[in-house]
């Protein structure tokens, strides 16, 4: 093996002291000390390296005769410069990474048959905030808008729809569901195959967007029946469902968007405005599956509301069934959930953690339970309509009141169950029979009733028996109502004559106009005030 050369090129330094450096007068680049000093430091027997140094105070900036600033100021300036340089390098690194990610896409000549350009409107040009520009709130708002447009175009170019996180929120990431994620995922994915998207229009103008699901399919004729919310054809709606101000466009065109990305036009075959349900007939060539219903639904139970948005993306809402009375503007057959349901999910499935259908979404915070829905579908299949006796009152259950209120009613009038009259329709038959706000309905035809869901089930059952006797729509039905009058503390049973109708029931309180008082009325008011105040 050839010996290793020990010439000057491979000579190692004899001292551990750092090599002396100096700066060129015209540049800030450190250079090695001159050769004479280095040779002198390497002389045998010296024991150390000679360093060419000068005092800190005598050092000057390159190209200047002024001394450097004090060490404290110089170190502070150096830290500021280093921080700025670090931030700039980090921004450059992030932008470089974004450019590297977009390079494969910019090489594509066409995506979906469209040529890709590098113009500012291209999906591949991402907006950014310049470093040398002052940023205000208007600039930030514009940046957010352009950034949202960029991501939407980019997702569209990649053939994936843009998910609206407010609507299609991934409830499986909810902390309360982490321990049952696997079970919930299986249930949701199992029920998602039933959920369809629906849209409607009038004269080419969009009207509404809802969800729905098939309840029937004929293998021979390939005809299926889709159920959804009647909001799909509602052209004018009011907050109060009892007002009768809702308007429906029965001639609107409704399209059903199937999960294989095909769209078929639906034909309206029935609409029930009280229960806010609509049935459409469609042609489906491939076999379909019908969801399974269950009556096992309890208050405080966790449920999922499934729907479809305009891109057929699954919309998921998670919440608990609330233990409460129906709102005054809501129907008696509503049950409520403690989470908001998107409008596009109205008419969608409400399922439990087992994946079984427990209802259909009908309002933002409400749904129709399967016990009512199945009974309605049974009547429609049997008599081609969904009739219901109209009572003319709004009711609430005693059992849903707060405990002190329940205890007070029990202590004073010895009643612990029943329905409290919250509103009486002006001019109705029940008003003429002396029923007023605050009275308590305890039973109908001798059957005790404790909540409004039970009341609706009872009314649907009475309607079916009424039709089985040969009666039809808009006929009268007598119901014996057991009452407790809160004003005089009397109990009695009245014979209430109702009209069996498929239209939405209207309950409106009476009103009167206040006119200018006469002299006699003014004198009477002053006399009453003096007698009351003693003046």
């Amino acid at each position: 093996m050839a010996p290793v050369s020990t010439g000057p090129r491979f000579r190692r330094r004899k001292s551990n002291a750092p090599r002396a450096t100096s700066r060129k007068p015209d540049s800030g680049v450190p250079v090695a000390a001159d050769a004479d000093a280095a040779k002198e430091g390497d002389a045998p027997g010296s024991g150390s390296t000679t360093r060419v140094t000068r005092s800190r105070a005598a050092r000057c900036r390159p190209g200047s005769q002024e001394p450097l600033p004090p060490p404290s100021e110089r170190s502070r300036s150096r830290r500021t410069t280093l921080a700025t340089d670090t931030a700039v390098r980090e921004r450059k690194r992030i932008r470089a990474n974004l450019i590297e990610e977009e390079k494969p896409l910019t090489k594509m000549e066409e995506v979906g048959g469209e040529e890709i350009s590098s113009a500012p409107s291209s999906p591949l040009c991402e907006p950014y905030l310049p470093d040398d520009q002052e940023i205000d709130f208007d600039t930030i708002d514009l940046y957010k808008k352009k950034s949202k447009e960029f991501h939407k175009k980019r997702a569209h170019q990649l053939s994936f729809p843009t998910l609206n996180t407010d609507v299609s929120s991934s409830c499986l990431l909810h902390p309360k569901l982490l321990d049952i994620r696997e079970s919930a995922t299986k249930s949701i994915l199992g029920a998602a195959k039933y959920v369809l998207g629906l849209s409607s229009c009038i004269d080419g103008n969009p009207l509404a967007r809802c969800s729905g699901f098939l309840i029937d399919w004929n293998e021979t004729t390939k005809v299926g029946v889709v159920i959804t919310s009647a909001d799909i054809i509602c052209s004018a709606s009011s907050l109060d469902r009892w007002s009768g101000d809702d308007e429906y466009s029965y001639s609107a065109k409704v399209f059903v968007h199937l999960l294989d990305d095909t769209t078929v036009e639906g034909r309206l075959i029935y609409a029930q405005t009280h229960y806010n349900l609509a049935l459409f007939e469609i042609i489906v060539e491939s076999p379909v599956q019908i969801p399974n219903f269950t009556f096992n639904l309890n208050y405080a139970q966790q449920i999922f509301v499934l729907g479809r948005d305009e891109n057929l993306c699954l919309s998921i809402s998670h919440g608990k069934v609330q233990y409460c009375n129906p709102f005054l503007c809501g129907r008696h057959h509503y049950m409520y959930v403690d989470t908001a349901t998107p409008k596009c999910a109205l008419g969608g499935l409400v399922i439990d953690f087992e994946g079984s259908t427990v209802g259909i979404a009908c309002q933002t915070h409400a749904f129709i339970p399967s016990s009512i829905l199945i009974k309605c579908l049974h009547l429609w299949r049997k008599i081609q309509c969904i009739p219901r006796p109209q009572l003319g009152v709004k009711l609430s259950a005693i059992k849903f009141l707060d405990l002190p209120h329940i205890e007070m009613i029990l202590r004073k009038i010895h009643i612990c169950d029943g329905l409290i009259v919250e509103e009486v329709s002006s001019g109705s038959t029940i008003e003429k029979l002396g029923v007023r706000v605050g009275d308590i309905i305890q039973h109908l035809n001798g059957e005790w009733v404790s909540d409004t869901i039970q009341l609706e089930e009872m009314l649907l059952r009475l309607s079916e028996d009424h039709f089985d006797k040969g009666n039809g729509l808009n006929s009268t039905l007598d119901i014996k109502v057991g009452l407790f009058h809160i004003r005089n503390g009397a109990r009695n049973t009245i014979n209430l004559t109702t009209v069996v109708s498929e239209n939405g029931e209207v309950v409106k309180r009476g009103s009167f106009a206040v006119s200018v008082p006469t002299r006699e009325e003014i004198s009477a008011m002053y006399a009453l005030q003096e007698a009351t105040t003693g003046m």
Side-chain angles (χ1 to χ4, degrees), residues 161-222:
T162 303
L163 294 179
N164 186 342
T165 54
D166 295 336
V167 174
S168 302
S169 58
S170 180
C171 65
L172 298 182
L173 299 180
H174 196 282
K176 297 180 179 179
L177 300 182
L178 291 179
D179 54 341
I180 49 175
R181 177 187 176 93
E182 183 177 355
S183 175
T185 302
K186 183 177 179 181
S187 300
I188 291 174
L189 295 181
K193 61 179 178 287
Y194 306 123
V195 186
L196 309 176
L198 288 90
S199 60
S200 60
C201 63
I202 299 178
D203 299 330
N205 299 319
L207 177 60
R209 182 172 293 274
C210 293
S211 300
F213 52 92
L214 284 161
I215 59 171
D216 195 9
W217 182 71
N218 191 308
E219 187 176 0
T220 304
T221 61
K222 308 297 182 182

Side-chain angles (χ1 to χ4, degrees), residues 198 211-215 225-229 277-280 347 360 373 377:
L198 288 90
S211 300
F213 52 92
L214 284 161
I215 59 171
V225 178
V226 176
I227 186 171
T228 183
S229 170
L277 298 174
L279 301 175
F280 293 89
I360 180 174
L373 180 61
L377 294 178

Side-chain angles (χ1 to χ4, degrees), residues 520-534:
E520 290 78 8
E521 292 175 340
I522 294 176
S523 301
M525 287 190 296
Y526 277 113
L528 178 61
Q529 182 179 2
E530 291 177 359
T532 304
T533 59

Side-chain angles (χ1 to χ4, degrees), residues 275-406:
Y275 292 103
N276 203 36
L277 298 174
L279 301 175
F280 293 89
E281 196 174 71
I282 61 173
I283 302 297
V284 184
E285 296 295 337
S286 58
V288 298
Q289 294 179 323
I290 309 301
N292 297 320
F293 292 88
T294 180
F295 298 108
N296 187 19
L297 179 64
N298 301 314
Y299 293 101
Q301 180 177 337
Q302 297 189 36
I303 58 173
F304 295 105
V305 182
L306 307 182
R308 298 280 179 185
D309 63 8
E310 63 273 10
N311 296 316
L312 282 184
C313 294
L314 187 64
S315 169
I316 309 172
S317 300
H318 164 253
K320 292 183 179 180
V321 181
Q322 290 185 298
Y323 190 81
C324 66
N325 274 305
F327 302 155
L328 281 179
C329 59
R331 297 291 191 182
H332 290 157
H333 56 271
Y334 287 175
M335 295 185 72
Y336 294 88
V337 62
D338 62 353
T339 186
T341 301
K343 288 186 177 180
C344 64
L346 297 182
L349 282 178
V350 181
I351 64 171
D352 58 12
F353 270 81
E354 301 298 327
S356 299
T357 303
V358 296
I360 180 174
C362 60
Q363 272 196 332
T364 305
H365 289 85
F367 67 96
I368 302 175
S370 56
S371 60
I372 301 294
L373 180 61
I374 293 299
K375 190 64 178 178
C376 289
L377 294 178
H378 169 71
L379 287 173
W380 174 76
R381 291 188 178 103
K382 183 177 181 179
I383 57 179
Q384 299 302 308
C385 65
I386 306 175
R388 175 186 177 276
Q390 297 187 354
L391 302 180
V393 289
K394 295 181 183 180
L395 304 167
S396 63
I398 293 178
K399 71 177 187 178
F400 292 134
L401 299 176
D402 55 288
L403 288 178
H405 199 171
I406 296 175

